[in-house]
Amino acid sequence: MAPLEVIGAGFGRTGTQSLKEALNTLGYNTMHMTSFIADPTLDPTIFKDAYMDKDKPVDWDQAYKGFTAAVDWPTCLFYKELMAKYPNAKFILTMRDADSWYKSIKNTIHPRVRDVLAGGDHPEHLVRMVDMVATVELDGAHRDPALFANEDEMKRRFMKHNEEVQRTIPAERLLILQLGEGWDRLCRFLNKPVPKVPYPSSNSTEKFNASTERFLSQAAASSSA
Protein backbone atom coordinates (compact mmCIF):
# COMPACT_ATOMS: atom_id res chain seq x y z
CA MET A 1 0.00 0.00 0.00
CA ALA A 2 1.50 3.31 -1.12
CA PRO A 3 1.92 5.82 1.72
CA LEU A 4 0.84 9.44 1.44
CA GLU A 5 3.58 11.48 -0.23
CA VAL A 6 1.95 14.93 -0.17
CA ILE A 7 -0.36 16.23 2.55
CA GLY A 8 -2.33 19.47 2.50
CA ALA A 9 -2.47 21.30 5.81
CA GLY A 10 -4.61 24.21 4.61
CA PHE A 11 -8.31 24.67 5.34
CA GLY A 12 -10.86 24.29 2.58
CA ARG A 13 -11.60 27.36 0.43
CA THR A 14 -7.88 28.19 0.14
CA GLY A 15 -7.40 26.78 -3.35
CA THR A 16 -7.45 23.12 -2.31
CA GLN A 17 -9.55 21.94 -5.27
CA SER A 18 -7.08 23.56 -7.67
CA LEU A 19 -4.22 22.00 -5.71
CA LYS A 20 -5.89 18.60 -5.94
CA GLU A 21 -6.09 18.92 -9.72
CA ALA A 22 -2.51 20.18 -9.89
CA LEU A 23 -1.22 17.24 -7.84
CA ASN A 24 -3.14 14.81 -10.02
CA THR A 25 -1.54 16.40 -13.08
CA LEU A 26 1.84 15.77 -11.44
CA GLY A 27 1.03 12.09 -11.10
CA TYR A 28 -0.50 11.78 -7.63
CA ASN A 29 -3.92 10.40 -6.76
CA THR A 30 -5.32 13.01 -4.41
CA MET A 31 -8.07 12.81 -1.80
CA HIS A 32 -10.17 15.96 -1.33
CA MET A 33 -13.48 16.48 0.42
CA THR A 34 -15.17 16.16 -2.96
CA SER A 35 -13.79 12.62 -3.17
CA PHE A 36 -16.43 11.53 -0.65
CA ILE A 37 -19.14 12.80 -3.01
CA ALA A 38 -17.63 11.21 -6.09
CA ASP A 39 -16.99 7.83 -4.42
CA PRO A 40 -19.74 6.58 -2.08
CA THR A 41 -17.49 3.73 -0.90
CA LEU A 42 -15.15 6.13 0.93
CA ASP A 43 -15.84 6.12 4.65
CA PRO A 44 -16.00 9.59 6.26
CA THR A 45 -16.72 8.10 9.68
CA ILE A 46 -13.04 7.17 10.04
CA PHE A 47 -12.24 10.87 10.19
CA LYS A 48 -15.19 11.76 12.39
CA ASP A 49 -14.22 9.06 14.89
CA ALA A 50 -10.56 10.17 14.83
CA TYR A 51 -11.64 13.72 15.61
CA MET A 52 -14.05 12.69 18.39
CA ASP A 53 -11.64 10.29 20.13
CA LYS A 54 -8.08 11.43 19.65
CA ASP A 55 -6.73 8.63 21.87
CA LYS A 56 -8.22 5.88 19.71
CA PRO A 57 -5.75 4.30 17.23
CA VAL A 58 -6.51 5.13 13.59
CA ASP A 59 -5.68 2.97 10.59
CA TRP A 60 -4.48 5.83 8.41
CA ASP A 61 -3.36 3.46 5.67
CA GLN A 62 -6.95 2.27 5.40
CA ALA A 63 -8.34 5.79 5.57
CA TYR A 64 -6.20 6.82 2.60
CA LYS A 65 -6.19 3.51 0.75
CA GLY A 66 -5.47 4.09 -2.93
CA PHE A 67 -4.36 7.71 -2.47
CA THR A 68 -0.82 9.10 -2.60
CA ALA A 69 -1.79 12.68 -1.68
CA ALA A 70 -4.54 14.32 0.34
CA VAL A 71 -5.65 17.94 0.73
CA ASP A 72 -8.56 19.95 2.15
CA TRP A 73 -10.74 18.94 5.10
CA PRO A 74 -10.69 16.54 6.88
CA THR A 75 -7.00 15.82 6.15
CA CYS A 76 -5.75 19.24 7.24
CA LEU A 77 -7.00 18.64 10.79
CA PHE A 78 -4.79 15.58 11.23
CA TYR A 79 -1.50 16.97 9.96
CA LYS A 80 0.30 16.22 13.24
CA GLU A 81 -0.72 12.58 13.24
CA LEU A 82 0.06 12.24 9.52
CA MET A 83 3.43 13.92 9.96
CA ALA A 84 4.40 11.17 12.39
CA LYS A 85 2.78 8.38 10.38
CA TYR A 86 4.39 9.37 7.07
CA PRO A 87 7.87 10.75 7.91
CA ASN A 88 8.84 11.18 4.25
CA ALA A 89 5.71 13.08 3.25
CA LYS A 90 5.84 16.72 2.25
CA PHE A 91 3.26 19.24 3.44
CA ILE A 92 1.58 22.14 1.66
CA LEU A 93 -0.16 24.94 3.55
CA THR A 94 -2.51 26.74 1.16
CA MET A 95 -3.34 30.22 2.36
CA ARG A 96 -5.39 33.31 1.56
CA ASP A 97 -6.35 36.35 3.59
CA ALA A 98 -8.84 35.69 6.37
CA ASP A 99 -11.48 38.14 5.13
CA SER A 100 -11.81 36.55 1.69
CA TRP A 101 -11.63 33.06 3.18
CA TYR A 102 -14.56 33.72 5.54
CA LYS A 103 -16.62 35.28 2.76
CA SER A 104 -15.98 32.26 0.58
CA ILE A 105 -16.89 29.62 3.15
CA LYS A 106 -19.95 31.59 4.20
CA ASN A 107 -21.23 31.57 0.62
CA THR A 108 -20.37 27.96 -0.22
CA ILE A 109 -19.79 25.21 2.35
CA HIS A 110 -21.81 26.58 5.26
CA PRO A 111 -25.20 26.98 3.54
CA ARG A 112 -24.84 23.60 1.82
CA VAL A 113 -24.05 21.87 5.11
CA ARG A 114 -27.01 23.57 6.76
CA ASP A 115 -29.31 22.43 3.93
CA VAL A 116 -28.37 18.78 4.42
CA LEU A 117 -28.48 18.99 8.21
CA ALA A 118 -32.04 20.31 7.91
CA GLY A 119 -33.10 16.98 6.45
CA GLY A 120 -34.70 16.05 3.18
CA ASP A 121 -34.17 13.43 0.52
CA HIS A 122 -30.39 13.23 0.26
CA PRO A 123 -28.21 10.25 -0.70
CA GLU A 124 -27.00 8.31 2.33
CA HIS A 125 -23.32 8.79 1.54
CA LEU A 126 -23.85 12.58 1.30
CA VAL A 127 -25.56 12.61 4.70
CA ARG A 128 -22.64 10.67 6.22
CA MET A 129 -20.15 13.07 4.67
CA VAL A 130 -22.00 16.18 5.86
CA ASP A 131 -22.29 14.73 9.36
CA MET A 132 -18.51 14.37 9.37
CA VAL A 133 -18.05 17.87 7.95
CA ALA A 134 -20.36 19.43 10.52
CA THR A 135 -18.45 17.67 13.29
CA VAL A 136 -14.83 18.29 12.33
CA GLU A 137 -14.73 21.58 10.42
CA LEU A 138 -14.13 24.64 12.57
CA ASP A 139 -14.75 22.63 15.75
CA GLY A 140 -18.38 22.02 14.87
CA ALA A 141 -19.31 25.61 14.04
CA HIS A 142 -21.51 24.55 11.10
CA ARG A 143 -23.99 23.11 13.61
CA ASP A 144 -24.33 26.48 15.35
CA PRO A 145 -25.39 29.27 12.94
CA ALA A 146 -24.95 31.94 15.60
CA LEU A 147 -21.39 30.81 16.24
CA PHE A 148 -20.58 30.60 12.54
CA ALA A 149 -21.98 34.13 12.09
CA ASN A 150 -19.30 35.36 14.53
CA GLU A 151 -16.89 36.38 11.79
CA ASP A 152 -14.09 37.39 14.14
CA GLU A 153 -14.15 34.00 15.86
CA MET A 154 -14.18 32.05 12.59
CA LYS A 155 -11.26 34.05 11.26
CA ARG A 156 -9.42 33.58 14.56
CA ARG A 157 -9.74 29.81 14.18
CA PHE A 158 -8.52 30.02 10.60
CA MET A 159 -5.46 32.09 11.49
CA LYS A 160 -4.69 30.03 14.59
CA HIS A 161 -4.58 26.86 12.50
CA ASN A 162 -2.25 28.42 9.94
CA GLU A 163 0.08 29.69 12.65
CA GLU A 164 0.19 26.31 14.40
CA VAL A 165 0.98 24.52 11.14
CA GLN A 166 3.94 26.83 10.54
CA ARG A 167 5.20 26.34 14.10
CA THR A 168 4.80 22.57 14.01
CA ILE A 169 5.95 21.31 10.62
CA PRO A 170 9.70 21.60 9.96
CA ALA A 171 10.46 24.20 7.31
CA GLU A 172 12.15 21.68 5.03
CA ARG A 173 8.95 19.64 4.87
CA LEU A 174 6.54 22.57 4.39
CA LEU A 175 5.59 24.72 1.40
CA ILE A 176 3.39 27.74 2.07
CA LEU A 177 1.39 28.30 -1.11
CA GLN A 178 -0.61 31.46 -1.62
CA LEU A 179 -3.89 31.35 -3.51
CA GLY A 180 -3.30 31.66 -7.25
CA GLU A 181 0.47 31.14 -7.19
CA GLY A 182 0.88 28.60 -9.97
CA TRP A 183 3.35 25.82 -10.73
CA ASP A 184 6.89 27.07 -10.11
CA ARG A 185 7.46 26.76 -6.37
CA LEU A 186 5.15 23.76 -6.09
CA CYS A 187 7.11 21.81 -8.69
CA ARG A 188 10.47 22.76 -7.18
CA PHE A 189 9.24 21.62 -3.77
CA LEU A 190 8.08 18.27 -5.12
CA ASN A 191 10.98 17.84 -7.53
CA LYS A 192 8.62 17.61 -10.49
CA PRO A 193 8.94 19.20 -13.94
CA VAL A 194 6.55 22.08 -14.63
CA PRO A 195 3.66 20.79 -16.78
CA LYS A 196 2.98 22.37 -20.14
CA VAL A 197 -0.56 23.26 -19.10
CA PRO A 198 -1.88 26.19 -17.04
CA TYR A 199 -2.15 25.72 -13.29
CA PRO A 200 -5.76 24.75 -12.48
CA SER A 201 -8.13 27.50 -11.47
CA SER A 202 -11.27 25.82 -10.20
CA ASN A 203 -13.96 25.78 -7.55
CA SER A 204 -14.73 29.49 -7.33
CA THR A 205 -17.85 30.30 -5.33
CA GLU A 206 -19.90 30.22 -8.52
CA LYS A 207 -18.42 26.89 -9.67
CA PHE A 208 -18.81 25.37 -6.21
CA ASN A 209 -22.49 26.24 -6.00
CA ALA A 210 -23.18 25.19 -9.60
CA SER A 211 -21.49 21.81 -9.18
CA THR A 212 -23.29 21.22 -5.86
CA GLU A 213 -26.66 22.00 -7.42
CA ARG A 214 -25.88 19.64 -10.29
CA PHE A 215 -24.94 16.82 -7.93
CA LEU A 216 -28.03 17.25 -5.76
CA SER A 217 -30.28 17.31 -8.82
CA GLN A 218 -28.72 14.12 -10.17
CA ALA A 219 -28.97 12.45 -6.78
CA ALA A 220 -32.64 13.43 -6.40
CA ALA A 221 -33.41 12.08 -9.88
CA SER A 222 -31.70 8.79 -9.04
CA SER A 223 -33.60 8.46 -5.76
CA SER A 224 -36.96 8.96 -7.45
CA ALA A 225 -36.22 6.67 -10.40
Side-chain angles (χ1 to χ4, degrees):
M1 184 178 295
L4 288 182
E5 300 174 39
V6 182
I7 298 167
F11 276 3
R13 307 312 299 165
T14 60
T16 55
Q17 176 69 24
S18 296
L19 178 59
K20 171 195 171 182
E21 295 177 15
L23 291 173
N24 287 349
T25 298
L26 295 174
Y28 301 96
N29 184 28
T30 310
M31 178 186 278
H32 181 277
M33 184 66 80
T34 55
S35 302
F36 294 95
I37 298 176
D39 183 357
T41 68
L42 291 179
D43 184 7
T45 61
I46 295 176
F47 298 94
K48 177 184 175 182
D49 292 347
Y51 179 84
M52 296 294 291
D53 185 356
K54 293 180 171 55
D55 293 326
K56 181 181 177 181
V58 180
D59 187 346
W60 294 115
D61 286 336
Q62 180 61 36
Y64 292 103
K65 184 178 180 180
F67 294 96
T68 55
V71 301
D72 197 61
W73 282 303
T75 294
C76 61
L77 300 177
F78 301 102
Y79 70 91
K80 293 177 184 176
E81 294 86 346
L82 297 175
M83 183 171 61
K85 171 66 178 177
Y86 303 109
N88 295 319
K90 294 185 175 182
F91 287 79
I92 300 171
L93 176 61
T94 45
M95 294 184 66
R96 69 191 295 179
D97 73 85
D99 290 337
S100 68
W101 170 80
Y102 179 74
K103 179 180 179 181
S104 179
I105 194 172
K106 182 176 71 172
N107 291 324
T108 54
I109 297 174
H110 182 66
R112 298 302 177 181
V113 169
R114 295 298 305 170
D115 286 346
V116 176
L117 290 177
D121 188 17
H122 301 294
E124 183 180 348
H125 75 285
L126 178 65
V127 174
R128 288 198 307 270
M129 184 202 79
V130 168
D131 178 60
M132 180 269 288
V133 169
T135 301
V136 308
E137 284 188 14
L138 298 168
D139 293 325
H142 289 303
R143 295 190 189 276
D144 185 343
L147 174 59
F148 185 85
N150 184 338
E151 181 174 349
D152 287 343
E153 174 59 18
M154 294 302 99
K155 290 192 293 189
R156 185 195 67 79
R157 296 182 185 190
F158 173 70
M159 292 184 290
K160 177 184 177 184
H161 173 82
N162 291 341
E163 290 164 0
E164 287 184 348
V165 167
Q166 293 175 76
R167 285 197 304 267
T168 304
I169 301 176
E172 64 272 15
R173 294 182 67 183
L174 178 65
L175 172 67
I176 300 171
L177 198 65
Q178 297 293 335
L179 188 67
E181 258 202 68
W183 290 114
D184 290 347
R185 290 199 312 121
L186 176 64
C187 290
R188 284 200 302 272
F189 181 66
L190 298 177
N191 297 313
K192 299 283 189 178
V194 175
K196 298 184 188 310
V197 294
Y199 187 87
S201 178
S202 58
N203 217 26
S204 65
T205 295
E206 293 76 15
K207 289 180 179 178
F208 178 98
N209 288 329
S211 63
T212 303
E213 288 289 351
R214 185 166 58 252
F215 169 77
L216 292 175
S217 297
Q218 291 170 349
S222 298
S223 298
S224 61

